[in-house]
Amino acid sequence: MRSFVSAVFFILMTFAASGYAGEQSDLFEVRMLQLDDATDKSAQQTLDESLLKAIRIELIRLTGNPSFLSQPEAETFVQSPKAWLKSYRYESYEQEGVKVGNWLVFEFDQQRFYRYFQQQGLVIWPMANRPTTLVMGSQLIAGTLVKLTGETLDYLPKLNYRNTALQLGLPIETPQYATNWVYPDADGSNQRVADILQSSDARYLLSFQVVASISGAERYKWQLFDRSGISLLQGETREEPEQGYFEDTFSELLRLYSAPYREQAEFLGSLTLTVDNIRSVEQLTELEKRLKAMKPTVHQVRLTSVEKHQVVFEVVYQGEYIRLVNRLAAMPNLVSVRDDAVIGQVNAEWE
């Protein structure tokens, strides 16, 4: 019978040649709502026009940087968006059992994106690093105030910001009850925000309001707070942009949230991971699979040696070293995780 070490070396070249792998990420699916009774320009787009818009959304979402579209690297994608598309489909959009439109769903080729980003040294902002934002919106029409809870938003497509946040890969919370509301009129800070976020997993609170006059003219204002109630960003417009109110707002949030990660992840690092007590090919396969599932933080995993029951991997990663070590320490079956940051060496045992 082939020994464990021999069996491992039999598959060594397969492991060494592989890069990104793992489970499908929701970062690679863009959903665009098309309402049956819509008359605006977005509802009349052709499939090619919708695909071009979708891949622009995809690039902003992956990088966390709206300015990426103006960089030369973006041209590779926008000039031939079909080359990056895996599939597309239509899904019915219903309200109270009545079809009112369709979702046009684009699924992009995850593996091809990962390979290209890795080859070009481009940074992907991982979902695990994206903070949750509690969103409190309201509408003021001729003195009548409407608080935009989850149920209210279902009947106000124009004010339903949830799909924009989903498109950009921003986790959000929407209040289900119209109590303890916050409005975008604070001067510097709002203590009520700090009180509200104490009982929430959200790290930020976004408040916005659309004010409509009797003549139909609208004014839109918004404000972003941190967990201390400090105002971080705010804006106001008196004309609705062609893409709607929320794309610019959420793009600003995206830029702010991703900036620290993008700044420290511009360069790739590597570490050596040594794992003892690996006693079967199945255990080795499971370990390698879990390491590669840490994409996009982990760029590449290469098995470099096997000796008795010890295996050694070279791991190429982006982002903070300590964050990767903490994720390794939290991995099932991996125990006694010890590291030496000076030499980039991590040792652990398989349980």
Side-chain angles (χ1 to χ4, degrees):
M1 179 179 294
R2 179 182 291 169
S3 68
F4 167 62
V5 174
S6 298
V8 168
F9 275 105
F10 180 76
I11 59 175
L12 179 58
M13 294 307 296
T14 301
F15 284 170
S18 57
Y20 285 115
E23 299 177 359
Q24 177 71 21
S25 169
D26 56 5
L27 281 174
F28 292 88
E29 186 177 276
V30 175
R31 303 172 66 87
M32 306 180 72
L33 182 59
Q34 300 178 330
L35 297 174
D36 290 343
D37 61 351
T39 58
D40 60 19
K41 191 179 282 188
S42 63
Q44 302 168 14
Q45 289 180 333
T46 66
L47 183 62
D48 286 344
E49 290 171 337
S50 295
L51 175 58
L52 180 59
K53 180 178 181 180
I55 202 163
R56 290 177 180 273
I57 292 171
E58 180 68 24
L59 292 172
I60 294 174
R61 172 199 286 181
L62 288 179
T63 62
N65 181 17
S67 299
F68 181 78
L69 293 179
S70 62
Q71 298 177 12
E73 293 87 349
E75 289 300 310
T76 301
F77 299 93
V78 299
Q79 288 181 355
S80 55
K82 289 182 180 178
W84 304 91
L85 182 65
K86 185 175 182 180
S87 65
Y88 73 92
R89 64 185 184 275
Y90 290 91
E91 294 180 0
S92 177
Y93 174 64
E94 299 181 352
Q95 289 182 352
E96 296 186 340
V98 178
K99 180 180 176 297
V100 295
N102 288 295
W103 289 106
L104 175 54
V105 185
F106 293 103
E107 182 182 344
F108 289 100
D109 190 331
Q110 176 183 221
Q111 298 302 327
R112 185 170 186 187
F113 264 94
Y114 275 142
R115 283 195 299 270
Y116 186 83
F117 268 64
Q118 181 180 350
Q119 292 167 0
Q120 301 299 317
L122 300 174
V123 174
I124 293 177
W125 185 33
M127 281 297 297
N129 290 77
R130 304 184 181 216
T132 298
T133 304
L134 177 62
V135 184
M136 290 188 171
S138 59
Q139 183 182 43
L140 187 62
I141 306 177
T144 301
L145 179 66
V146 178
K147 299 176 181 179
L148 302 178
T149 63
E151 183 178 359
T152 306
L153 287 172
D154 290 336
Y155 298 96
L156 296 171
K158 182 179 177 180
L159 299 180
N160 195 341
Y161 53 82
R162 292 176 295 191
N163 188 50
T164 302
L166 176 66
Q167 285 181 343
L168 294 178
L170 284 176
I172 60 170
E173 289 182 7
T174 298
Q176 296 304 307
Y177 304 101
T179 57
N180 205 17
W181 218 256
V182 174
Y183 303 97
D185 51 14
D187 184 16
S189 64
N190 187 329
Q191 182 57 43
R192 291 180 57 242
V193 172
D195 296 338
I196 292 170
L197 291 184
Q198 280 186 355
S199 59
S200 170
D201 292 331
R203 286 173 51 188
Y204 300 92
L205 187 149
L206 172 66
S207 173
F208 72 85
Q209 187 171 80
V210 177
V211 181
S213 65
I214 297 178
S215 65
E218 292 185 345
R219 178 168 57 92
Y220 166 73
K221 55 182 179 179
W222 61 275
Q223 191 167 17
L224 179 71
F225 302 90
D226 65 12
R227 287 188 68 88
S228 300
I230 303 299
S231 177
L232 302 177
L233 295 173
Q234 61 187 76
E236 183 173 340
T237 179
R238 294 183 179 275
E239 292 184 4
E240 181 181 1
E242 183 177 321
Q243 70 272 21
Y245 290 122
F246 307 112
E247 190 166 320
D248 288 344
T249 299
F250 282 111
S251 291
E252 286 298 309
L253 269 57
L254 196 76
R255 193 194 312 273
L256 174 70
Y257 295 166
S258 68
Y261 185 88
R262 288 187 286 109
E263 289 170 1
Q264 53 83 36
E266 289 183 354
F267 301 98
L268 300 179
S270 67
L271 60 80
T272 300
L273 173 64
T274 301
V275 181
D276 292 312
N277 202 34
I278 296 291
R279 296 181 175 274
S280 68
V281 174
E282 289 75 17
Q283 290 176 344
L284 175 60
T285 302
E286 182 62 25
L287 172 58
E288 190 260 359
K289 177 182 177 182
R290 291 178 184 176
L291 290 173
K292 291 184 176 180
M294 292 183 180
K295 65 181 191 312
T297 299
V298 170
H299 270 236
Q300 191 174 38
V301 176
R302 187 168 68 90
L303 181 61
T304 59
S305 72
V306 178
E307 185 175 351
K308 293 185 178 179
H309 300 302
Q310 183 185 82
V311 298
V312 180
F313 289 95
E314 180 187 8
V315 180
V316 179
Y317 66 95
Q318 69 180 35
E320 298 176 356
Y321 168 84
I322 189 61
R323 184 181 293 274
L324 177 58
V325 172
N326 289 339
R327 292 189 66 182
L328 291 172
M331 181 185 295
N333 298 110
L334 211 60
V335 298
S336 301
V337 177
R338 308 169 302 282
D339 79 289
D340 187 331
V342 175
I343 62 174
Q345 172 73 49
V346 179
N347 296 86
E349 295 180 10
W350 188 266
E351 185 179 47

